[in-house]
Amino acid sequence: MLTDGWFLLDGGAMFGVVPKTLWQARAPADEQNRILLGTNTLVVRDGKHTVVIETGVGNKFDAKMRAIYGAQQLLPSAFTAAGIKLTEVDTVINSHLHFDHAGWNTTLHPDGTVSPTFPNARYYAHRGEVEHGRLQLERDRASYFPTNYEPLIAGGQMTLLEGPQTILPGISVDVYPGHTAQMLAVFLDSGGRRACYISDLFPTSAHLDVAWACGYDLDPLTTIEQRKRFYARAIPEDWLVFFTHDHHAPFGYIALNDRGKPVLRAEPAK
Ligand SMILES: [Zn+2]
């Protein structure tokens, strides 16, 4: 797991209708009411393929936006530190196309041009995300930076998915709507066990209560239903779950505690 560094978002926005008196115990806010979030990129290698799931916030903010979000632009150096060349990556999967998930799909250069950060990769995203982003709606146009995907589509480097699909042997995606209408979860299956990059269905491990939906979710009622759908398999089957925005606990197993509440565990139940 690599990181583009932490960034800061309004705590109220991250926890929707949940009162601050409840969420601040799990996610302490700074003097501007912002909470610290991770930007977790998962790299999967099997000797044949190098697969990247999510690409962080990227380098397309101006100075003012960088100050607001505290974005750090660390992902390329994180690849260097891990000894993985950007040219080795052959597959990139975006769960959705918000800027904090697709930011390093492309790199902005000083002359204002962008180029693919992973020049030899095939990129995958849901077609509905591109169509939604192109609408540039008042509600969420700030989340969709066309330079994160349009050049890849124009260059024939991005495959637009219609729904659940196998990407490579053992790597597949399924649709979990709520945050956006077609947000994808990414499944990794190996040796009879499953790991899941769940993206913003659960942005952090502080969001495990099914009703603690994020204020950014386009349809929080659907989020609640999809969380129940997720738990119905993830808990009994002991899935290893990866969270995009949890800087402190980026992954773990979910179990029910004595009171029937979902909690994060470092170890599988069995
Ligand atoms: Zn996000």
Side-chain angles (χ1 to χ4, degrees), residues 71-94:
Q72 295 174 304
Q73 308 185 352
L74 296 181
L75 193 61
S77 55
F79 272 90
T80 304
I84 305 169
K85 295 191 186 74
L86 301 176
T87 51
E88 289 177 69
V89 174
D90 58 66
T91 305
V92 175
I93 304 172
N94 295 132

Side-chain angles (χ1 to χ4, degrees), residues 194-218:
R194 170 165 274 194
C196 178
Y197 190 102
I198 194 53
S199 186
D200 283 345
L201 184 63
F202 301 94
T204 75
S205 64
H207 288 85
L208 294 183
D209 188 313
V210 290
W212 284 38
C214 180
Y216 296 103
D217 290 3
L218 293 185

